[in-house]
Amino acid sequence: ILRNSFSCLPNLAQGSQTGVIVVTMTSGAASIKRIHIASNVIDFGVAQKGKVMPGIGLYGQIDDVIEKNIITNSPGPGIQLGNVFEKSVSCEEVSNLISGRLIGARILDNQINSPNMGRNIGGMGAAIYARGARDNLIARNRITGKLHTSRFIQDSGAQRNILK
């Protein structure tokens, strides 16, 4: 997914947690491997409070490269790495959410401008949020703005991620 420009409307009636560029495992739980997302521009409009859409959401892949993207005014994290749930939940409870682990990715040289325009707390307000992601390299990303809760937060099964 290379050299695209996206202008986004983050205030859909049902909201979204999936992201603008989304890569996830198939319904048959097969892994998708070696995705390259680079040199894209993602620019959100004005987000309403409580919206959580990340610019790029990666769920259930192996060995991805996410580099040199520019993400501006995302309602939630600029980049979300994986999404796993702490306990079993029924499909009805999470019907609009995507789950999956991200393993062995490289998140490099991205520019994340003013993340968390939806003014979320915790991980959903971070510039980069790892939730169930492991063994990833996160390096040389530039983050601007004042609303994000942290530059990087990992929880719910995220482990061995290297932040440089």
Side-chain angles (χ1 to χ4, degrees):
I1 304 171
L2 305 171
R3 295 180 296 280
N4 297 287
S5 180
F6 300 94
S7 294
C8 309
L9 177 59
N11 300 315
L12 302 174
Q14 297 299 316
S16 174
Q17 285 187 291
T18 57
V20 174
I21 297 177
V22 176
V23 182
T24 188
M25 67 180 120
T26 66
S27 59
S31 292
I32 298 173
K33 297 181 181 180
R34 295 182 214 60
I35 300 297
H36 188 197
I37 301 172
S39 302
N40 296 288
V41 175
I42 302 171
D43 192 358
F44 288 88
V46 177
Q48 296 170 350
K49 189 172 181 179
K51 299 297 181 181
V52 294
M53 181 188 292
I56 298 174
L58 304 169
Y59 318 98
Q61 302 92 243
I62 299 172
D63 298 329
D64 295 349
V65 176
I66 298 87
E67 63 181 346
K68 300 178 183 172
N69 297 287
I70 300 171
I71 303 164
T72 302
N73 296 336
S74 59
I79 300 174
Q80 183 168 343
L81 309 173
N83 194 28
V84 296
F85 303 104
E86 295 173 2
K87 61 178 183 166
S88 295
V89 293
S90 70
C91 290
E92 293 80 24
E93 291 180 78
V94 293
S95 61
N96 62 340
L97 300 179
I98 294 175
S99 67
R101 293 191 180 277
L102 179 69
I103 302 168
R106 292 175 310 250
I107 317 303
L108 308 169
D109 300 310
N110 296 287
Q111 176 72 44
I112 303 172
N113 301 319
S114 301
N116 195 28
M117 296 304 284
R119 293 164 180 78
N120 300 286
I121 60 171
M124 292 312 283
I128 300 174
Y129 182 33
R131 183 176 172 87
R134 65 176 192 248
D135 300 316
N136 300 290
L137 172 62
I138 302 158
R140 301 182 309 272
N141 297 287
R142 293 164 309 284
I143 299 163
T144 67
K146 297 179 181 177
L147 293 179
H148 52 282
T149 56
S150 179
R151 295 174 64 81
F152 176 68
I153 291 180
Q154 58 182 349
D155 64 17
S156 296
Q159 54 189 321
R160 298 187 307 269
N161 293 297
I162 300 168
L163 182 63
K164 290 187 176 185

